[in-house]
Amino acid sequence: MVNVAVALLATLAAFGSAGLLGMRAFPERRIYLFAWTGTLAALGLALGTMTAGFAGGFSPALLRLLALFGALLAPFSLALGVVELVARTVQARFAARLIAGSYVVVAVVIILLDPIIGTFGKSLPKVAGHYSSLPKLIVDGGHVFAVVSLVSCVAVTATRGNKRDREATETMLTVAMVALAGVLVVTATRGFLPGPLAPLALGGAVALIWFGTVRVLPGRSHDDEDEEEAEPYDEMANYAGQPPHGRPSGPPPQGPPPQGRPAGGQYPAAQPSFAPPQGVSGALPFPLGQYGRITMYTLHEGHQDAFDRLAAEVTRAVIERDPGTVVYACHAVDNAPLQRIFYQLFRDAAAVENHTRQPHVQRFAGEARAHVAGTNVIELTTTAVKVAPPPDAQRPPHDGQRPPHDAQRPPQDPQRPPYDPQRPPYDAQRPLQDVARPAYDAQRPSHAAQRPAQDPGRPPHDMTGPRPVPDPARLPHDMTGPRPAPPRPNGHPSHPSGGWPRG
């Protein structure tokens, strides 16, 4: 009776946990929630099979149900959920789904069709003792896949946590609890625990899965107690038509900077909402906003792309239709992929109200609700700022005393005749080509073709023969001595005038 009572209580706990988790899994549409819901349901069926077997005796049909749901489906679905929670790449999740799905289909067929041998009683039978070698190998392979997947996910999460990964730190306890639940499931379904210890171990696995899942349910804040709790997303509509946190909507009064914020969120009458720093006189080079707002969104897992598309659409609409919004930027957090931070800077309180009432802002709030688990809103008041002005603001102002560009040009030469629109163009004044010149004849032979051919009887110049021997009697030409005088006509010296000397 103890075995029946323990198995019955564990069965009720498993089915109750599966129902509660399924109610949360369907609205959230998380793969790991669906997988762990299936794990709890499979454990409930396995525990129900144990309850019936302890009460009336086991049979081949009950053994097939125990092997199918307890020894095969429960470990596989548990490991698949952990991989879906820990893996951050599509390739890893797809590989886990493909391996688990294909393996389970083949294993179910073998477990349901393979013959069962041996006799049964009211004691818990071992699954491997009543099947042939092939079903034993199938069950052992499933357990190896589950244990390896769970241990790998625990190691990966611990490594990320040591690197100060916030998401890994938050999910570390959940992964450890689910991994311990997997070890209990494998131990109990392989027949290592006798008597009531097997249903008790499966009941402990159900409790570990439930408490581990509750820690990662969407919408639950994992921050420390001293941090601000996330607001429900529906409360964002309360900001419409109100100055930020009760701040005055008129022009900001001048006074010393605030030393603290009083209780109730109200500012004293002399509290400035925006004032230039002390010692700085004159207006800023371009208008700045008085009121700011930082909105931190916590997204559901897998909804980042859809939320980013909505953020891009509302940003374009704000640029085109919201002149009172000075800055509107959406930021992604590097070490927290589910976090989005909006920074908004408004010109005045009227711009805040006008921005909140815009149709595109209200449409964004309505469509983003399905992707957001919680929000934190921080209202800001600008007291000092340094922002690089736009390029147009950096250009020097126009000097009213400076003459225009056309006034600096010299006047036109008065002697130059004005432009005559009736004057023919330059090409029209050029003489026409000589009409007597014959046109180009394409059939006319070229100049080279009209030259006479070379005399074929003329011997060619011999470049290979011997070189003539110089005359030895001929004196060499002296290039360094004086130049010889030219010969005189008739033996008379020449005269510079070109004539003969007189006398």
Side-chain angles (χ1 to χ4, degrees), residues 58-69:
F58 286 91
S59 63
L62 294 179
L63 182 63
R64 291 185 190 274
L65 293 178
L66 182 61
L68 179 62
F69 293 103

Side-chain angles (χ1 to χ4, degrees), residues 106-496:
V106 176
V108 167
V109 175
I110 294 176
I111 290 176
L112 293 180
L113 298 181
D114 195 81
I116 297 178
I117 58 177
T119 59
F120 300 92
K122 290 188 177 182
S123 61
L124 182 64
K126 292 184 179 182
V127 175
H130 295 274
Y131 274 106
S132 60
S133 59
L134 183 58
K136 294 179 184 179
L137 184 61
I138 290 295
V139 174
D140 293 342
H143 289 170
V144 169
F145 172 81
V147 172
V148 170
S149 300
L150 293 174
V151 172
S152 301
C153 291
V154 171
V156 170
T157 307
T159 303
R160 293 174 180 172
N162 292 334
K163 297 180 180 179
R164 298 183 180 180
D165 190 324
R166 180 179 179 182
E167 183 179 359
T169 304
E170 294 175 352
T171 59
M172 180 62 198
L173 184 58
T174 297
V175 174
M177 295 173 70
V178 175
L180 181 58
V183 173
L184 293 178
V185 171
V186 172
T187 304
T189 55
R190 293 186 67 85
F192 296 154
L193 302 177
L197 294 181
L200 187 62
L202 294 182
V206 170
L208 289 173
I209 295 172
W210 170 253
F211 287 111
T213 306
V214 168
R215 292 187 56 83
V216 293
L217 283 176
R220 185 182 183 275
S221 177
H222 306 293
D223 299 336
D224 297 335
E225 295 180 357
D226 56 345
E227 295 185 2
E228 185 179 0
E229 185 179 359
E231 303 177 5
Y233 188 75
D234 293 337
E235 296 183 7
M236 290 296 296
N238 298 334
Y239 292 96
Q242 301 180 6
H245 277 292
R247 291 178 294 197
S249 58
Q254 302 297 329
Q259 300 297 329
R261 185 172 180 175
Q266 301 293 331
Y267 288 90
Q271 169 68 28
S273 60
F274 179 78
Q278 295 183 2
V280 178
S281 60
L284 294 174
F286 65 101
L288 288 173
Q290 298 179 2
Y291 301 138
R293 176 185 297 168
I294 296 178
T295 307
M296 293 174 286
Y297 295 93
T298 302
L299 307 182
H300 296 310
E301 185 177 359
H303 293 237
Q304 296 93 319
D305 295 339
F307 183 86
D308 291 341
R309 286 193 295 269
L310 295 177
E313 293 176 1
V314 72
T315 302
R316 288 193 295 268
V318 168
I319 294 175
E320 297 173 357
R321 312 170 193 169
D322 203 344
T325 302
V326 181
V327 177
Y328 193 89
C330 177
H331 305 271
V333 184
D334 294 340
N335 58 351
L338 298 181
Q339 297 290 330
R340 296 295 184 271
I341 298 179
F342 275 68
Y343 176 70
Q344 307 166 32
L345 185 62
F346 305 99
R347 200 176 306 279
D348 47 29
V352 178
E353 180 178 356
N354 180 66
H355 169 79
T356 310
R357 294 181 180 274
Q358 290 293 329
H360 51 268
V361 176
Q362 297 180 358
R363 182 171 61 253
F364 168 77
E367 295 180 358
R369 184 175 291 108
H371 312 293
V372 177
T375 57
N376 287 330
V377 181
I378 302 175
E379 297 292 341
L380 307 173
T381 301
T382 306
T383 57
V385 67
K386 189 274 178 184
V387 179
D392 292 341
Q394 297 179 357
R395 298 179 59 183
H398 176 67
D399 186 4
Q401 304 297 330
R402 182 181 180 183
H405 176 68
D406 292 341
Q408 299 179 8
R409 297 176 59 185
Q412 190 176 2
D413 186 6
Q415 303 296 330
R416 182 179 180 181
Y419 173 72
D420 184 8
Q422 303 296 330
R423 183 180 179 182
Y426 176 74
D427 292 340
Q429 301 178 13
R430 296 176 60 184
L432 299 177
Q433 189 177 0
D434 187 6
V435 296
R437 181 180 180 182
Y440 173 73
D441 185 5
Q443 303 297 331
R444 183 180 179 184
S446 61
H447 178 70
Q450 298 179 8
R451 294 176 59 184
Q454 187 176 1
D455 186 6
R458 181 180 179 180
H461 181 66
D462 187 7
M463 299 296 295
T464 61
R467 187 174 182 181
V469 180
D471 187 4
R474 183 179 179 182
L475 297 177
H477 182 67
D478 187 7
M479 300 296 295
T480 60
R483 186 176 180 182
R488 300 182 179 86
N490 298 327
H492 298 279
S494 59
H495 194 271

